[in-house]
Amino acid sequence: MQRPDWAPETIDIERPSVARMYDYYLGGSHNFAADRAAAQAMVAAVPEAPLMAQANRAFLRRAVHHLAGAGIRQFLDIGSGIPTVGNVHEIAQRLDPRSRVVYVDVDPVAVAHSREILADNEQAVVVQEDLRRPEAILGHPDVRKLLDFSQPIAVMVVAVLHFVSDDDQPARLLRTLRDALAPGSYLVLSQASDDGRSRDERAEAERVYQRTDSPLWIRSRTELTALFDGFELLEPGVVWVPEWRPDTPESAEDAERAVFMGGVGRLGG
């Protein structure tokens, strides 16, 4: 396979990447044959996967709109993925050009493309780091340069936590991030859930992602709700993402076929 100009030499284009699979679900063009094959296998196991990836992106958009309306002007988007239409900085800076956004991703393709897109944007930056290293994220000089941790920040952990194993202690990772935040900050969280799914569907989805660089860890609504420890959940709580403050009643109708659950919590104090 010929390597395109936008693909860094350091990446293995024969091994599926979850970031590039997600790009494929969203209709993006920054993916390879291996990514498309793995994504198509996932669609065979869970036919709603592309629709629900789009629903998850819509959840992110609605959450950013709400937080910007609540006065938040700083966003830390961890696991931001490959840039596609509807990124956090596009939404937030459209509402207020002073909004500051830091993207964090471990995938070199996602980081390379984010840097291209943000080259002329002084209010947004991308760093290559891993959610499993929250101290490194919080201490990164580019993060500290752009974000003021004495003021409220919205931390976005959207469609990424299902790639963090229980052994990596996701609750501890989120506590580390929470403890660095000022009162009035927010956590926006979503991940794949198996509530209402058959055992066979879950097993097949996990089997597909075993082929990628990030195996899948699916969690229940109860487990996700517990991850908001220290945050006050906004209504309607942890729900299928089409049900979180939908634009219209009709846009929540796909909730029964959803893959992602999500919610938004506010840090008091």
Side-chain angles (χ1 to χ4, degrees), residues 6 19 36 73 80 134 140 158 163 198 200 211 225 235-236 251:
W6 50 264
R36 293 188 288 275
R73 296 296 180 266
S80 50
H140 195 286
V158 174
F163 302 122
S198 72
D200 288 345
R211 296 161 46 189
T225 301
E235 292 294 337
S251 60

Side-chain angles (χ1 to χ4, degrees), residues 14-214:
E14 302 293 339
R15 182 175 176 80
S17 155
V18 297
R20 299 192 299 270
M21 289 171 65
Y22 196 72
D23 176 69
Y24 174 82
Y25 295 145
L26 293 174
S29 59
H30 296 107
N31 48 74
F32 305 116
D35 307 311
R36 293 188 288 275
Q40 288 160 5
M42 181 63 183
V43 172
V46 183
E48 301 89 351
L51 177 63
M52 289 303 108
Q54 295 161 24
N56 192 67
R57 179 53 61 104
F59 162 70
L60 179 146
R61 172 183 55 78
R62 296 194 304 275
V64 172
H65 265 283
H66 175 78
L67 299 182
I72 296 297
R73 296 296 180 266
Q74 301 188 106
F75 297 84
L76 177 59
D77 186 0
I78 304 175
S80 50
I82 292 173
T84 54
V85 174
N87 271 309
V88 172
H89 77 278
E90 294 177 332
I91 302 165
Q93 292 178 356
R94 188 180 303 124
L95 296 170
D96 188 334
R98 297 171 298 176
S99 297
R100 302 191 298 278
V101 180
V102 172
Y103 292 110
V104 180
D105 207 280
V106 71
D107 186 280
V109 171
V111 172
H113 277 282
S114 296
R115 285 177 178 153
E116 288 181 14
I117 287 175
L118 301 174
D120 297 323
N121 191 328
E122 296 182 354
Q123 297 290 94
V125 69
V126 60
V127 300
Q128 186 169 355
E129 255 308 338
D130 194 323
L131 172 59
R132 290 166 291 195
R133 288 164 37 92
E135 295 88 352
I137 294 172
L138 295 169
H140 195 286
D142 289 343
V143 175
R144 288 290 169 175
K145 180 179 179 181
L146 198 61
L147 301 183
D148 178 359
F149 280 81
S150 71
Q151 299 298 315
I153 296 171
V155 175
M156 324 287 294
V157 185
V158 174
V160 65
L161 207 61
H162 42 254
F163 302 122
V164 176
S165 74
D166 289 343
D167 291 341
D168 288 315
Q169 303 177 55
R172 178 188 64 81
L173 303 179
L174 293 177
R175 270 198 311 273
T176 300
L177 294 168
R178 181 199 67 195
D179 291 347
L181 299 175
S185 295
Y186 289 84
L187 172 65
V188 180
L189 175 68
S190 74
Q191 83 141 77
S193 176
D194 62 349
D195 277 30
R197 291 283 178 183
S198 72
R199 184 175 300 177
D200 288 345
E201 284 178 310
R202 171 174 178 154
E204 182 61 18
E206 291 176 338
R207 187 191 67 78
V208 169
Y209 276 88
Q210 287 292 336
R211 296 161 46 189
T212 76
D213 53 358
S214 300

